[in-house]
Amino acid sequence: MVEWTKKHILEIKDLTRQEMEVVFNLASSFKEVSQREVKKTPALRGKTVVNLFFENSTRTRTSFELAAKRLSADVLNFSSSTSSISKGESVVDTIKNLESYHPDILIIRIDTSACLKNFLNYTKASIINAGDGKNEHPTQALLDMFTVKEVKGKLENLNVLIVGDIMHSRVCRSNIFGFQKFSSKVRVCGPPAFIPFEFEKLGVDVFYDLDKAIEEVDVIIMLRIQRERQNLAYFSTLREYVENFSLTPQRLKRAKRDCIVMHPGPVNWDVEISSTLKDELHPLILKQVENGLAIRMAVLYLVGAEKRERKTLRK
Ligand code: NCD
């Protein structure tokens, strides 16, 4: 029997290894629901879930929406381009207004790092972080780890390499905290301007040469250059970046034979990964999307289920 007591999912940093395992076990059962002819369960019937996206998203928003619907919740979608945010209404005012509908879960994506705790003062709902600036993207790390667990059969003692725009990536930070809790080692690789010194304090090994970084790794996570969070002066030309950090068939040959490659999406083929690898690598990247739905069903269920139920979840 495992106790689940968390009301919010704000950061992977807050979750224990046991709690992550609860999420993975539940996600496995929810994958089965998605294969049924009637892909719905009544777990969150009568609950209201609000998708509050102040930043663009395709996969994360759609999978949270579908996850909530498959659990029979009522879902409200809010995105800043179609809302009063574009008329100057503040984020806090928006949350206060939505509170009038008594929502049960707010799923928030926002460009300000680590700001979600402040919003707890304005809502009684559970908050799930769907990506806050450069800080964390906990459900992406959970789905990445769940995918690794499915393919590799374990999460312990692996060598995980994260490549690209390390500095601006919330996916990178959440994966570092997550994999480290399973005693896996994380290395990061990218141009020096993309790896701030504080990353060494996170207990990761830093590489600037992808050909070296790739040796002996079990898992590679390729990241997109987050152009929306920087100006392009960080590296002289895109061509130079591609030459040094794009995953090519030649580079991949240097990795272990059973090494897997993932990407949180959206992928810019021929920037992060050579399109000649698309046939080989795209299926697992799409599997991540499929697993994202199951992981989001699991976290919605865990934070949304009645307290009584939460406490008696079977492992
Ligand atoms: C990531 C994000 O938004 O942080 N994408 C995602 O959630 N699937 C990574 C990215 O945008 O590159």
Side-chain angles (χ1 to χ4, degrees), residues 59-60 109 137 140 170-171 224 226 228-229 264-266:
R59 275 149 292 265
T60 308
R109 168 167 289 195
H137 191 352
Q140 179 68 44
R170 49 199 177 204
V171 175
R224 183 177 68 88
Q226 311 270 302
E228 67 276 29
R229 294 190 216 297

